[in-house]
Amino acid sequence: LRRTSTGGSTSDKSGGSGNAPYWVRLVRSGNTFTAYKSTNGTSWTSVGSYTISMGANIYIGLAVTSRRDGTLNTSRFDNFSVTP
């Protein structure tokens, strides 16, 4: 999911099908963010790139959603890192 402006609507881009566990990577270059996925943490496939105007410093985090009203999603994240 992404929101291209503060308070704006969210939109999504499917990463395709697959079974957990899998790896995700988000790379920022200026105002361009590129998302990647991997089944092994070594070979990466681009899911898409988006330009979102932001300041030089941002807060980041991980979130999940079931995308269904009334349905909870339980996920576990590990090996999380930030590389400046």
Side-chain angles (χ1 to χ4, degrees):
L1 294 170
R2 67 192 174 281
R3 186 178 311 175
T4 57
S5 62
T6 302
S9 298
T10 58
S11 56
D12 67 351
K13 166 79 169 143
S14 173
S17 62
N19 295 318
Y22 57 90
W23 287 256
V24 294
R25 175 179 282 171
L26 184 63
V27 176
R28 180 184 184 185
S29 178
N31 286 326
T32 301
F33 294 81
T34 305
Y36 298 89
K37 68 177 184 174
S38 172
T39 58
N40 59 19
T42 303
S43 300
W44 295 92
T45 302
S46 175
V47 176
S49 290
Y50 305 94
T51 300
I52 305 170
S53 296
M54 292 194 173
N57 298 311
I58 60 173
Y59 294 102
I60 62 168
L62 301 173
V64 297
T65 178
S66 69
R67 307 233 12 208
R68 301 180 104 184
D69 289 343
T71 302
L72 297 177
N73 177 311
T74 302
S75 297
R76 188 181 103 201
F77 298 102
D78 61 19
N79 297 315
F80 179 81
S81 65
V82 177
T83 305

